[in-house]
Amino acid sequence: MREGRERVRDLLRHANGDLKTFDATYFEKKADAQRSIIRSGEDIRVLKKSMLAFTSLQHVQILRLQDEADRHLIDYLHENDDLLTELVDLKWAPACTHATRTIAEALLHAQSSVSRFSGPMMNPQSVLAMKDHLPKRMYSLAERLTCLELHFDDGSNLSEKMRELSSMFKAIFLSAKNMQAVHIGFPSRSPLDLGLEEVFHHVEWEKLRAFGIQAWRLDAKEIINLARRHCQTLRGLRLRDVQLKEGSMWKDVLSMLRAEMDQLDWVSLRRVDYSNHFDELWADSMEVPDGPPGGASDSDDEDDFHAHMSVSSATYDSGDDDDSEEHSNADTDHGPDANEIALSPDTPLSMPFCTCTRNSYSTSADDLGDNGRFVLYQQRKIWEKWVVGRCLEHSSR
């Protein structure tokens, strides 16, 4: 809680519904304990000791931890934001900044061998706050990275904030020469309107196996150019919530992927669309949920990118889950568990491609039904299989 805006007792006194059952003392004690830990430096002391003890640590993830009482309080504040921020103001950005800074300091202190970092709830403001204060040796951590997953959860002025972070991304990505898997994502409701290379800076990773982006307004050429740089190594490509700008067409992207990406095993096009159509869908909405309008969509289950990137596994695990729009876990966005980044190109599939005589779908992207205005769920499922040459009738993946 921000100093001067921690009057949770006053808030609960006037609250209604379930929130009235909570004791203000619980929140006050928790806030006092957190302040005491930070002021005493106990958190960084324990983290440094822990990182020294974890001699084989490979993966670090920063998450926002909240219990049931926290969730009720946060939900209530969101619903009554204008009225209550003078009493209680909960901000994730300062906590995210502190967590990132202290973990990085502890990793450097221990000379940790960590090679995978996940931040599925990163706040751009917290990264901006650290941008000019990162020690140069921080980039030694980037040199060891093989997997990076970042999802920024604050949609306000996001493009402007990410533009300010452009130079930092460039330094990190140029240092990360061992990168094998990357995912950079933003809220579905707020697609980033920033050139792809303002984040990736034409970097080419020689070992890249899986690449993903989420919620971005792009020209087709931007996707094509980045994919083409990695056409010899890329096994999986995720383009979730990507909206093509006016003048671009998905068939151009699909055609290039099919023709040039010889190593590609899977591609995910979950909720891809055209930028103008996306804006039209939400034009009359007061609040855009972090998902598609109307609630009918592909599965939006959590599928943490890093969870499918075991550097030791060498087998595909194909499932037969239901592939309905709203309940499926079998979406190709999961990369069919074959998203392991250490697989060699000749690793056999447990479910080989269909070779039946009825697999006669057109090889021309012009026949994919792309109208340049909107994309239907059924279309993109066909497109995903078409790109990697799977039988549209018998492939279950």
Side-chain angles (χ1 to χ4, degrees), residues 189-244:
R189 64 185 178 273
S190 307
L192 192 72
D193 195 1
L194 192 67
L196 201 59
E197 300 302 348
E198 290 194 60
V199 173
F200 293 103
H201 297 278
H202 304 279
V203 172
E204 181 177 347
W205 290 292
E206 295 181 357
K207 302 176 183 178
L208 192 68
R209 297 292 183 270
F211 178 84
I213 53 176
Q214 177 174 358
W216 221 308
R217 298 178 191 266
L218 297 171
D219 291 317
K221 196 66 176 177
E222 295 180 83
I223 302 171
I224 291 171
N225 287 341
L226 191 143
R228 189 169 277 153
R229 289 205 301 274
H230 302 96
C231 64
Q232 298 300 316
T233 62
L234 206 60
R235 303 291 299 273
L237 178 64
R238 172 193 289 170
L239 301 174
R240 179 189 285 184
D241 293 302
V242 172
Q243 316 295 329
L244 284 192

Side-chain angles (χ1 to χ4, degrees), residues 280-387:
E280 290 170 5
L281 287 175
W282 296 117
D284 299 323
S285 299
M286 294 299 292
E287 180 178 354
V288 180
D290 201 3
S297 74
D298 310 354
S299 165
D300 203 24
D301 295 45
E302 289 298 319
D303 67 333
D304 292 342
F305 203 53
H306 58 81
H308 306 288
M309 295 183 185
S310 166
V311 294
S312 60
S313 174
T315 58
Y316 286 80
D317 178 19
S318 61
D320 295 322
D321 298 327
D322 177 62
D323 196 29
S324 68
E325 284 193 14
E326 298 186 55
H327 305 292
S328 170
N329 281 331
D331 197 298
T332 48
D333 197 37
H334 294 264
D337 288 351
N339 194 358
E340 287 91 2
I341 53 183
L343 293 178
S344 58
D346 58 351
T347 302
L349 292 168
S350 61
M351 182 178 293
F353 289 2
C354 176
T355 57
C356 76
T357 58
R358 283 178 287 179
N359 186 8
S360 58
Y361 198 80
S362 174
T363 58
S364 172
D366 291 329
D367 297 325
L368 292 177
D370 181 16
N371 60 20
R373 294 181 288 113
F374 57 84
V375 180
L376 300 175
Y377 167 80
Q378 294 85 351
Q379 281 181 303
R380 76 94 175 159
K381 295 298 290 183
I382 291 174
W383 294 355
E384 288 175 341
K385 293 178 180 179
W386 182 85
V387 164

Side-chain angles (χ1 to χ4, degrees), residues 124 128 154-164 192:
L128 277 171
D154 180 5
S156 59
N157 299 318
L158 196 51
S159 297
E160 180 180 338
K161 292 174 183 175
M162 297 308 296
R163 183 174 284 110
E164 291 183 55
L192 192 72

Side-chain angles (χ1 to χ4, degrees), residues 43-61:
D43 54 347
I44 186 60
R45 185 191 70 79
V46 171
L47 274 172
K48 285 182 176 180
K49 186 176 181 180
S50 300
M51 294 305 174
L52 284 169
F54 297 148
T55 56
S56 300
L57 186 65
Q58 294 296 309
H59 186 189
V60 168
Q61 184 176 51

Side-chain angles (χ1 to χ4, degrees), residues 82-100:
D82 294 337
L83 300 174
L84 301 176
T85 51
E86 290 303 315
L87 297 178
V88 175
D89 193 9
L90 300 178
K91 294 293 184 184
W92 165 236
C96 185
T97 301
H98 184 75
T100 305

